[in-house]
Amino acid sequence: MISHKQLRKNAFSLLEVVIVVAIIAILAAIGIPRMSRGSAGAADSSLKANLAILHNAIDLYAAEHQGSVPSAATVVDKLTSTSNANGDTGGVAADGYIYGPYLRKIPPLPVGTNKGNTGIADAAGEGVGWIYSNGGFTPNTGTDVDAEGHLYNDPNYYGY
């Protein structure tokens, strides 16, 4: 049988338990906001990476087609299909369709109210993830901002 004195030696006092709970609460108060910002930071990084992918594809297309860039109406077809020197798409290499494809598929917009959309147009609209004009892309995010308050579609901030 365990005596009262032995039981007291093996147990935690109320003060010790309160101190441990307070320490855990302090660590949670510090850690939880940092973890929640982590997913937002990942989405911001994904946006920058997707913009780089789109711009690199357009740059390569222009380099192989005498500096010309596709129109907004044809940009998806031109970037995801093979093409010839004239920019015609859909043929086989034996017929001179030796350029491209520059992308397997259009990357989805990773942030904002249009998140997940892959559509490309020359103006904002439903289903549009990217706005394309004169060989440049901007995210279709309207007035959405990142964790630091910068507009996602501000070219000065993202450098596109």
Side-chain angles (χ1 to χ4, degrees):
M1 185 165 184
I2 300 175
S3 71
H4 188 326
K5 287 184 180 183
Q6 287 175 330
L7 183 61
R8 213 166 168 202
K9 278 185 175 179
N10 295 331
F12 293 108
S13 73
L14 181 59
L15 181 61
E16 291 169 329
V17 172
V18 168
I19 290 172
V20 168
V21 169
I23 290 171
I24 290 172
I26 290 169
L27 291 174
I30 293 170
I32 290 174
R34 288 183 184 224
M35 287 188 288
S36 66
R37 281 194 307 261
S39 64
D44 294 349
S45 294
S46 180
L47 173 63
K48 290 178 185 179
N50 287 349
L51 282 167
I53 288 167
L54 290 167
H55 284 116
N56 287 340
I58 283 293
D59 290 346
L60 185 54
Y61 180 92
E64 293 181 340
H65 294 88
Q66 297 82 38
S68 68
V69 294
S71 68
T74 64
V75 68
V76 173
D77 184 46
K78 303 278 185 178
L79 294 181
T80 59
S81 303
T82 57
S83 61
N84 62 16
N86 297 327
D88 302 323
T89 60
V92 293
D95 296 330
Y97 291 82
I98 58 172
Y99 305 111
Y102 305 96
L103 297 171
R104 290 185 185 173
K105 62 181 184 174
I106 304 300
L109 182 66
V111 297
T113 54
N114 291 305
K115 180 179 179 177
N117 290 330
T118 59
I120 298 175
D122 58 358
E126 190 173 326
V128 175
W130 307 99
I131 299 171
Y132 173 77
S133 177
N134 299 322
F137 291 92
T138 55
N140 182 21
T141 53
T143 58
D144 296 333
V145 295
D146 67 6
E148 297 175 359
H150 299 104
L151 285 171
Y152 284 121
N153 60 8
D154 178 6
N156 295 320
Y157 179 68
Y158 284 101
Y160 45 81

